[in-house]
C-alpha cells in the first residue's frame, strides 16, 4: 500500500534562517507531488507541484522553492525565512485516479 | 481558472441532526471532479466524498451525501445523524480532469461544531 511521510511535524525557526521540509512517498512510482500551505484560519493554497524528477511548477511567487531530486521525494526550501512564511505545510500525492493523499503536515512558526 | 467558494465560515448542528454545508465553484472545464475533505483538530486531511462531474447521480458515503447541481455549479454536503466526531473543518475542492497536471483547488473551509 502507498504511504506518504512528511517531517518534521513541528518547526520553530528564526527569521532569516534556512528551511528544508521533506516529503517522501512509498509504494508507488512517478506520483504527482504537491506542496500546500494553510495559513491560520484559512484554506489550502497550492504552492508547488511536480509531475516528475526535476520538474517543478510554481503557483505563487514567494520566498520558497521546491525540488524533486528523486521520484518519490519532494522538498520545500527557503534560503531566508520571513515571518509571513509561518503556517501549516502539507505535502500530497496523487496517482492516475486523481485521489489526493495528504501527509500529516508541518507546523512552521517563524519567530 | 478554477475557483471554489464556501460562504459559511462556521456552522453548528445538534448531535443526531442533519446539517448541510454549501459550496459553489467556477470552472471552464467540461469534465472535472469535486471533493469534500474533512480536517479534524489533528489537521490530517481526510477525503469524505468525491463526485465526478459527468455523473448525474449524487455521491453517497454512509451518512454523507452531496447535492450536485451542475448547471448552478453548486456542490453541497449533507451530513445526516451528526456525531461528535464529525466536528471539524470541511473543505470543498475541485479538480480538473485530464492532462498530466491535476491541481486540487480548495475553498476557504467551513468549521462545523457538533453540540451534544
Amino acid at each position: 500500500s502507498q504511504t506518504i511521510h512528511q517531517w518534521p511535524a513541528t518547526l520553530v525557526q528564526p527569521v532569516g534562517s534556512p528551511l528544508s521540509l521533506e516529503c517522501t512517498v512509498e509504494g508507488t512510482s512517478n506520483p504527482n507531488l504537491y506542496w500546500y500551505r494553510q495559513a491560520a484560519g484559512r484554506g489550502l493554497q497550492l504552492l508547488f507541484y511536480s509531475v516528475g524528477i526535476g520538474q517543478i511548477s510554481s503557483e505563487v511567487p514567494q520566498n520558497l522553492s521546491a525540488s524533486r531530486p528523486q521520484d518519490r521525494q519532494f522538498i520545500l526550501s527557503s534560503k531566508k525565512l520571513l515571518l509571513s512564511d509561518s503556517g501549516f505545510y502539507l505535502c500530497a500525492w496523487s496517482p492516475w485516479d486523481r485521489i489526493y493523499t495528504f501527509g500529516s503536515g508541518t507546523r512552521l512558526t517563524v519567530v | 481558472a478554477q475557483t471554489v467558494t464556501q460562504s459559511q465560515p462556521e456552522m453548528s448542528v445538534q448531535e443526531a441532526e442533519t446539517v448541510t454545508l454549501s459550496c459553489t465553484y467556477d470552472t471552464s472545464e467540461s469534465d472535472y471532479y469535486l471533493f469534500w475533505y474533512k480536517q479534524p483538530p489533528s489537521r490530517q486531511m481526510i477525503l469524505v466524498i468525491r463526485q465526478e462531474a459527468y455523473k448525474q447521480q449524487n455521491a453517497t458515503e454512509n451518512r454523507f451525501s452531496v447535492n450536485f447541481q451542475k448547471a448552478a455549479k453548486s456542490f453541497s454536503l449533507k451530513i445526516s445523524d451528526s456525531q461528535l466526531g464529525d466536528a471539524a473543518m470541511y473543505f470543498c475542492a475541485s479538480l480538473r480532469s485530464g492532462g498530466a497536471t491535476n491541481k486540487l483547488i480548495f475553498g476557504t473551509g467551513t468549521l462545523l461544531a457538533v453540540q451534544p
Side-chain angles (χ1 to χ4, degrees):
Chain A
S1 63
Q2 302 89 4
T3 56
I4 180 168
H5 301 282
Q6 187 179 343
W7 68 92
T10 305
L11 193 59
V12 180
Q13 291 284 100
V15 170
S17 65
L19 173 73
S20 181
L21 302 181
E22 189 163 343
C23 172
T24 59
V25 181
E26 295 179 354
T28 188
S29 297
N30 197 31
N32 288 348
L33 296 171
Y34 310 85
W35 278 111
Y36 285 86
R37 178 171 60 198
Q38 184 177 24
R42 300 182 66 180
L44 281 76
Q45 180 185 37
L46 179 62
L47 301 177
F48 300 95
Y49 65 92
S50 172
V51 299
I53 296 174
Q55 301 179 59
I56 308 296
S57 296
S58 174
E59 287 293 295
V60 181
Q62 59 208 314
N63 183 43
L64 302 169
S65 62
S67 62
R68 186 170 177 174
Q70 301 181 40
D71 180 45
R72 291 170 288 178
Q73 183 185 31
F74 205 23
I75 297 172
L76 184 69
S77 304
S78 174
K79 292 182 179 178
K80 290 184 178 182
L81 283 169
L82 306 172
L83 288 174
S84 58
D85 292 323
S86 293
F88 188 66
Y89 289 82
L90 281 160
C91 179
W93 78 277
S94 71
W96 61 271
D97 64 353
R98 300 179 179 86
I99 297 293
Y100 278 47
T101 300
F102 287 84
S104 53
T106 297
R107 185 186 305 273
L108 172 66
T109 304
V110 182
V111 297
Chain B
Q2 298 168 253
T3 59
V4 178
T5 302
Q6 293 179 252
S7 59
Q8 305 157 316
E10 297 182 13
M11 292 282 286
S12 183
V13 63
Q14 290 292 127
E15 196 174 5
E17 296 295 310
T18 296
V19 64
T20 298
L21 308 183
S22 301
C23 173
T24 58
Y25 61 94
D26 191 15
T27 179
S28 58
E29 303 291 330
S30 59
D31 194 15
Y32 50 91
Y33 297 83
L34 297 167
F35 303 84
W36 278 98
Y37 278 87
K38 170 185 177 181
Q39 187 182 43
S42 68
R43 306 198 77 170
Q44 178 70 49
M45 294 292 286
I46 301 167
L47 178 64
V48 175
I49 200 164
R50 167 189 178 186
Q51 174 82 43
E52 290 93 335
Y54 68 87
K55 290 186 177 180
Q56 294 185 349
Q57 186 174 5
N58 289 325
T60 299
E61 288 289 340
N62 301 314
R63 297 183 296 108
F64 298 87
S65 62
V66 298
N67 183 5
F68 175 45
Q69 301 290 326
K70 191 171 184 178
K73 294 186 177 178
S74 171
F75 183 61
S76 61
L77 174 70
K78 185 172 80 171
I79 306 174
S80 303
D81 186 24
S82 297
Q83 300 175 1
L84 295 177
D86 294 333
M89 181 73 84
Y90 286 82
F91 292 99
C92 179
S94 72
L95 179 66
R96 184 186 66 186
S97 177
T101 55
N102 302 307
K103 295 182 283 186
L104 192 61
I105 305 301
F106 287 88
T108 53
T110 296
L111 182 62
L112 178 66
V114 181
Q115 307 299 330

